[in-house]
Amino acid sequence: MHENGVGAVKHILCPIDGSDPGKRAVATAAAMAQRMQAKLTLLHITQYVVGRSGVYEVSTPEETERYLAEAQVIASHEAYNDPALRNVRARDPANAILDFVEENEVDHIVMGAAGKGAMKSFLLGSVSSDILRKAYCPVTIVH
């Protein structure tokens, strides 16, 4: 891919969850976006589960705000000062990320290897693994 040419990256998505790999992914995504002069979107998925007595969100609104604010500060340390901040409520984080990619013309995904999800694979988180297998655009996994 070439800067400002054919195949240039114009929109980078960085899903965030407050984990250490996720924070490192924000720094990587912000540096890439700055270098490529691309739009950067930081996306938090507020996952919910459906139980017998109702619907329960895995993270609180306060946690979501904190994750987005922390990610914004990390991006600013990489000289990227105005990332788009988004929150999506979804039952399946991987599908929500893939839907966002498709609906928002994302060219590249940068995400942490294993996050705070309840289900983790041995070395690669289940969400990261799903994104890596299903995304139509390049994916960078940060450990």
Side-chain angles (χ1 to χ4, degrees), residues 15-86:
I16 62 168
D17 62 2
S19 68
D20 289 339
K23 291 175 184 178
R24 289 189 292 274
V26 171
T28 300
M32 288 173 66
Q34 178 64 20
R35 186 175 63 253
M36 297 176 178
Q37 299 177 345
K39 175 181 178 178
L40 173 62
T41 300
L42 304 174
L43 174 68
H44 180 262
I45 304 296
T46 300
Q47 186 178 7
Y48 66 88
V49 293
V50 179
R52 282 186 155 179
S53 57
V55 176
Y56 304 95
E57 291 187 348
V58 175
S59 60
T60 66
E62 293 79 19
E63 287 173 316
T64 296
E65 285 183 34
R66 186 175 74 244
Y67 296 156
L68 288 168
E70 287 173 352
Q72 191 169 21
V73 168
I74 292 167
S76 71
H77 289 203
E78 298 298 329
Y80 197 99
N81 295 315
D82 196 23
L85 305 176
R86 300 288 182 268

